[in-house]
Amino acid sequence: MSAVEVQAGEASPAATGAWIGQPPSLTQRLSVFWIGLVGVLFPGVGPLLLGGLEAAGRLTANQLGLAGMAELVAMGIGAAVIGPMFGRSRLRLAAVTCGLLLAALDLATTRVSGDLLILVRAVAGLPAGAMIWLITGMIVRSPRPERWAGLYLTIQTLLQLGVVAAIGALVMGSFGPDGGFVMLAALTVSAAVAGLAIPGLYAPLVESEDNPKGLPSARGWIALAAVFCFQAFILAVWIYAEPLSRQAGHPPSVASAAFAMSLAAQVAGGATATALAGRLSWFWSLTASVVLAAVALLVMAALPSAPVFLAAATVFGFVWLFASPYLTPLAIEADPSRRAALLGPGASLLGCGAGPLLASFIVSGADVRPAVWLGVGLALVTLVIVAFLHLTRSR
C-alpha cells in the first residue's frame, strides 16, 4: 500500500466513503485479518489451556488468575505501545517478528511452570497486542470502521469457538494443555507467514494542532476512558457468571448453558452490528446496549430461576458484541484524526484485565454479587462519558 498524505484541515476520508490511503487488495485484507485473529486467540482459548495447566499441577488457582490477567494487560500494552513502536512503514517486519516471537513463547509455555509460566504468558501478550494493532490500523483507515470492527469481532468469536472445540476434542485428551499451546504456535507461525503479504505501510493519519507528537486529542483520551470502562464493567461481572449461577442454587449445567447461549448471542450481536453499520446512530446504539447490559446484570444478581438467568445471559451476550463495534465511531467522533481509535484495542484489553481485578477485591466466596454493583457503576460512568462527548461534539 502506498502512502497518501492527509494534510491537516482536510475533510475526513470517512465522510466521503473512501479509505485513508490506497485501498488494500483482497489478499492484503485477508492477511491482515488473519494476523489480527490469531493475535486475539488467547482470551478465548486461555481459560481452557490455563485450566488444564492448573489441573496438571503446573499452576495454582491463584496463579491461574494472575497468568490470565497478566497476559490481557500485556496485550493492551502491546496494542498501545509495542505496535506503534514499529511505525506505519514497517508493517511486514512487525507482523513477521511478532508472529515468530509469539510462536516461540507458546512453545516455551510447554516447558515451564508456576511463576515462570506467568512471566512467559505476560511476555506473550506483548507481540499478540502488536498483532491486534496491525488490524486496528487497517480498520481505522477504512470508510466504515464500525462495519469492519463488527466483522472482526464476529469472526474472532467464531474462530475462538472453533479452536476451543478442536483443542478440547482432538488435543487435550491425548496431549494435554501442552498440545494446545503447540497448536497455537502453529497458527501463529501461519500468521507470521501471512505477514509477508500485508501492505508495506499505512497512510498517515490526520495531523492537527490537537494531536501533538501523534497522540490523541484531549477528547480522544476521554473516549478511550469510555472504552476502558465499558470493557471493565463487562468483564468484572461476566467472570463471575458461574459463581452467580451457583449462588442462585442452579445445577452446574445451567452455567454451562449460559456460556453457550451467551456465546451464540455474541455472534448474533456482532453480525447484527456489522449488517446495520452506517444505518443506526452509534450514540443511541451504544447507549441502549449499555443500559440493556446493566439491566441484564441486575437480573442475574437477583439470583432468579434458571430460565430467567439464561435469558439474561443471552441478552447480555447479544448487546455486548452488538455494542463493541460502536466504540470505534465513538473514538473517531471524539478524535477525527483516528489516533484514539487506533489505541482503542489497548484500552479495551486493559479494561478487560482491570475489571476482574477490581471485582476480586470486593467479592467473597459466599457472595459474588458485589461484582455486579461494581459493573453497574462502571456502566453508569461509561454512559456519562459517552453522553458528554456526544452532546459537546463539534457540529
Side-chain angles (χ1 to χ4, degrees), residues 8-285:
E10 290 182 349
S12 169
T16 60
W19 285 82
I20 295 179
Q22 182 177 332
S25 67
L26 177 60
T27 299
Q28 290 173 332
R29 296 180 200 184
L30 292 175
S31 298
V32 173
F33 244 81
W34 181 244
I35 292 167
L37 290 169
V38 173
V40 81
L41 265 181
F42 193 81
V45 180
L48 174 65
L49 296 182
L50 293 179
L53 291 172
E54 183 204 14
R58 291 168 57 190
L59 285 175
T60 65
N62 182 56
Q63 288 174 329
L64 185 152
L66 288 174
M69 184 193 70
E71 184 151 1
L72 280 174
V73 171
M75 288 174 71
I77 295 172
V81 179
I82 304 301
M85 287 176 62
F86 283 96
R88 62 179 182 82
S89 61
R90 295 193 291 271
L91 305 182
R92 291 172 186 157
L93 175 64
V96 174
T97 301
C98 291
L100 293 177
L101 177 58
L102 181 55
L105 290 165
D106 285 336
L107 292 176
T109 304
T110 66
R111 312 297 297 177
V112 294
S113 302
D115 291 339
L116 185 56
L117 194 150
I118 296 174
L119 177 62
V120 169
R121 294 320 307 171
V123 176
L126 299 176
M131 293 164 73
I132 297 170
W133 169 82
L134 282 167
I135 189 171
T136 307
M138 185 178 76
I139 289 173
V140 302
R141 289 170 172 83
S142 68
R144 187 64 67 187
E146 65 269 34
R147 176 170 294 163
W148 283 88
L151 187 63
Y152 175 52
L153 288 168
T154 303
I155 295 176
Q156 77 174 238
T157 303
L158 289 170
L159 180 63
Q160 288 172 353
L161 177 61
V163 173
V164 166
I167 291 176
L170 305 175
V171 177
M172 289 288 285
S174 301
F175 305 101
D178 286 347
F181 282 105
V182 172
M183 181 175 173
L184 286 184
L187 292 172
T188 309
V189 169
S190 73
V193 174
L196 300 173
I198 69 173
L201 73 166
Y202 286 144
L205 295 174
V206 175
E207 298 285 350
S208 73
E209 295 180 357
D210 293 333
N211 305 106
K213 300 180 180 179
L215 296 175
S217 65
R219 290 175 60 83
W221 287 112
I222 296 173
L224 290 174
V227 174
F228 175 91
C229 289
F230 175 84
Q231 296 295 356
F233 107 74
I234 292 287
L235 269 296
V237 183
W238 190 240
I239 198 75
Y240 290 101
E242 191 277 335
L244 271 174
S245 176
R246 193 179 343 118
Q247 191 173 337
H250 303 150
S253 59
V254 173
S256 298
F259 285 121
M261 293 173 67
S262 175
L263 186 60
Q266 288 173 43
V267 174
T272 302
T274 303
L276 296 178
R279 302 178 188 179
L280 299 177
S281 162
W282 71 261
F283 172 71
W284 291 111
S285 299

